[in-house]
Amino acid sequence: MQLVVARIGRAHGIKGEVTVEVRTDEPELRLAPGAVLTTDPASAGPLTIETGRVHSGRLLLRFEGVRDRNAAEALRNILLIADVDPDERPEEDDEYYDHQLMDLDVVLTDGTEIGRITEISHLPSQDLFIVERPDGTELMIPFVEEIVTEIDLEEQRAVIDPPPGLIDDRAEIVSSRDDGAPQDDDAHRDDDARRDDDA
């Protein structure tokens, strides 16, 4: 399986180094010296990493055969692609590669089907599963232990125990106000805000 692990940025200095936008949780493994990576566009590669170092918080790479700024600048915006064994797992037991989670069925603890994972969104605070329901609507499920109770790769499913309101926005709202529709709209907005705070 091929996965994009980085995008080449601008040239750095005059000796052929480039900045890279890292797109892997394991740069020390995927972007180590000696790694041979295919490219998009394919005509630019394959590229073999000769050296790597961190400078001012950015990863700098130099590739074999790239010796000056002009050659480095010619690589700008090229995607670096690694061949990954589909069965390979991250070192930590509770971590997964995105491709392992894609298309998993999402079910409640009682087995009720909710949908399937179509995308994983990586936010600074947490990761989210984007889940497509059978009716075509989408849900966002925070990938946190309190909600996602089990990932079963053999059964190809993710078991969730969501808090009230996360997957059903029609939760009953108790209010003393008499006007119906506007109160429902306000309550729905408040529910979204609470959902963000809880997540």
Side-chain angles (χ1 to χ4, degrees):
M1 172 176 286
Q2 294 193 316
L3 297 175
V4 174
V5 293
R7 182 180 67 83
I8 298 177
R10 59 184 176 78
H12 179 84
I14 60 172
K15 296 181 179 179
E17 285 185 312
V18 295
T19 61
V20 292
E21 174 191 316
V22 176
R23 296 188 181 180
T24 173
D25 289 336
E26 299 175 311
E28 68 285 350
L29 175 65
R30 308 291 179 206
L31 301 171
V36 180
L37 303 166
T38 54
T39 58
D40 182 7
S43 58
L47 294 173
T48 302
I49 298 175
E50 186 173 279
T51 63
R53 66 186 178 100
V54 176
H55 175 73
S56 299
R58 303 258 347 213
L59 179 60
L60 303 179
L61 297 179
R62 180 169 35 230
F63 300 99
E64 289 183 5
V66 178
R67 291 285 173 252
D68 58 39
R69 186 176 183 86
N70 289 339
E73 192 61 40
L75 299 175
R76 192 170 190 162
N77 292 324
I78 288 172
L79 297 178
L80 299 174
I81 302 167
D83 285 311
V84 178
D85 181 346
D87 296 325
E88 183 180 330
R89 290 281 307 273
E91 292 182 4
E92 298 295 325
D93 288 339
D94 60 347
E95 292 184 357
Y96 302 88
Y97 294 125
D98 286 2
H99 71 269
Q100 295 173 310
L101 300 171
M102 291 294 290
D103 290 324
L104 291 187
D105 293 323
V106 178
V107 299
L108 297 179
T109 53
D110 65 5
T112 303
E113 292 187 18
I114 300 301
R116 68 180 181 85
I117 299 171
T118 57
E119 183 182 341
I120 291 93
S121 179
H122 300 282
L123 303 178
S125 58
Q126 68 190 13
D127 295 335
L128 291 174
F129 291 162
I130 309 301
V131 177
E132 183 178 310
R133 301 189 80 164
D135 64 4
T137 60
E138 288 187 339
L139 294 171
M140 291 185 287
I141 306 291
F143 187 21
V144 294
E145 190 174 37
E146 296 79 19
I147 297 173
V148 181
T149 60
E150 180 186 359
I151 297 290
D152 188 335
L153 295 180
E154 286 189 12
E155 295 293 327
Q156 286 290 289
R157 67 180 191 167
V159 180
I160 64 169
D161 185 13
L166 181 62
I167 62 171
D168 186 0
D169 60 2
R170 296 182 302 273
E172 185 176 332
I173 300 184
V174 178
S175 173
S176 60
R177 297 197 327 190
D178 293 328
D179 51 335
Q183 182 264 329
D184 287 343
D185 289 346
D186 291 344
H188 182 68
R189 281 195 295 275
D190 288 343
D191 184 45
D192 286 344
R194 281 196 302 273
R195 190 182 321 167
D196 293 342
D197 291 340
D198 291 343

